[in-house]
Amino acid sequence: RRRAEETLADRGAMLARGLGRTRRAGTRALSSLPETPPLPLFGIGGRYATAIYTAAAKKGELEKVDTDLKAFSEALEGMPALTAFIGNPNVPRAEKAATLVACLDKMGGCTTSKNAVAVVADGGRSTDLKKVLSMFNELMVAAKGEVTAHVTTAQELDAAGQAAMSKSLDELLAKGQAVTVSYSVDPGLISGHTIEMGDKFIDYSAATQLKKLTALLGIGV
């Protein structure tokens, strides 16, 4: 057992050294950011992300933590071995936390960023780390006045269709906000589209309209 633990520890250290080589230089200056989380997030990932935002805001380190965790998230995507390591139930929580902290240390991460990933690991939520990082990014995007929208269409939109969609989404924004749009295709919608933007979900799909009509007419499916 001791030999196995030493092997896991060595593997964690090796992964930390590898991730450290992916350090990104420089931070982008941000305007004044709100001290309180700009939108409510739910679930385990949401609670951790909100706690990280609050801690960073209190220390005036939102810009640095944003840069650290964004770089770490991108690096993590390119290291399946590290993902497997932190997802391994045989690795003690403390070992996972130490490895994640070592990774961020190699990348030049600040103490608040290192504490953030350590808390997630110590809480037994290492497998939720990617989700926590993604949800923290949602908070930062909202704090900077940016809005992300995901549009799902029944058929792929061409450039003109995407431009028209972006123009329509702009009309839903508050003054000073900007939207970044991602697209996907789901033939099951039959026709039309759905929009996920912040806490809003707008459904213009024929599939949903058909379901509503079926329910209204009392027709079993």
Side-chain angles (χ1 to χ4, degrees):
R1 176 183 173 86
R2 184 174 180 180
R3 181 62 179 273
E5 290 177 349
E6 291 175 349
T7 300
L8 289 171
D10 291 342
R11 188 182 307 168
M14 180 180 67
L15 291 168
R17 289 194 297 271
L19 188 54
R21 288 192 289 270
T22 66
R23 178 181 177 182
R24 290 171 55 183
T27 59
R28 184 165 64 92
L30 302 176
S31 58
S32 179
L33 298 172
E35 292 186 1
T36 56
L39 52 85
L41 295 178
F42 305 98
I44 293 171
R47 290 198 295 273
Y48 276 103
T50 299
I52 294 170
Y53 184 99
T54 302
K58 285 182 178 179
K59 294 184 178 181
E61 295 181 333
L62 278 172
E63 296 180 28
K64 175 58 176 168
V65 173
D66 180 41
T67 299
D68 288 348
L69 297 188
K70 191 173 293 182
F72 182 72
S73 180
E74 292 176 1
L76 193 59
E77 288 296 327
M79 292 196 69
L82 180 58
T83 300
F85 177 80
I86 62 178
N88 187 340
N90 295 319
V91 180
R93 294 180 183 182
E95 188 65 45
K96 294 178 181 180
T99 298
L100 293 173
V101 168
C103 289
L104 268 168
D105 189 53
K106 291 286 186 180
M107 297 175 71
C110 68
T111 299
T112 303
S113 298
K114 289 184 281 189
N115 287 343
V117 297
V119 166
V120 175
D122 284 334
R125 296 295 178 181
S126 295
T127 54
D128 293 314
L129 181 59
K130 288 184 179 180
K131 186 172 184 179
V132 172
L133 296 177
S134 175
M135 297 185 85
F136 176 77
N137 184 62
E138 286 183 39
L139 289 176
M140 291 303 302
V141 167
K144 289 181 281 187
E146 301 172 358
V147 177
T148 57
H150 184 76
V151 177
T152 303
T153 56
Q155 294 86 30
E156 186 173 357
L157 295 178
D158 56 18
Q162 291 187 9
M165 181 64 70
S166 294
K167 185 176 180 180
S168 297
L169 293 174
D170 285 339
E171 298 175 358
L172 301 176
L173 302 176
K175 184 177 180 180
Q177 290 184 319
V179 64
T180 299
V181 190
S182 61
Y183 295 91
S184 64
V185 176
D186 180 4
L189 298 181
I190 303 176
S191 67
H193 60 273
T194 63
I195 301 171
E196 295 178 67
M197 188 164 67
D199 59 353
K200 300 182 178 67
F201 181 78
I202 306 171
D203 194 335
Y204 293 122
S205 69
T208 295
Q209 299 305 316
L210 181 60
K211 288 180 182 177
K212 290 181 179 179
L213 179 60
T214 298
L216 182 64
L217 296 176
I219 302 173
V221 292

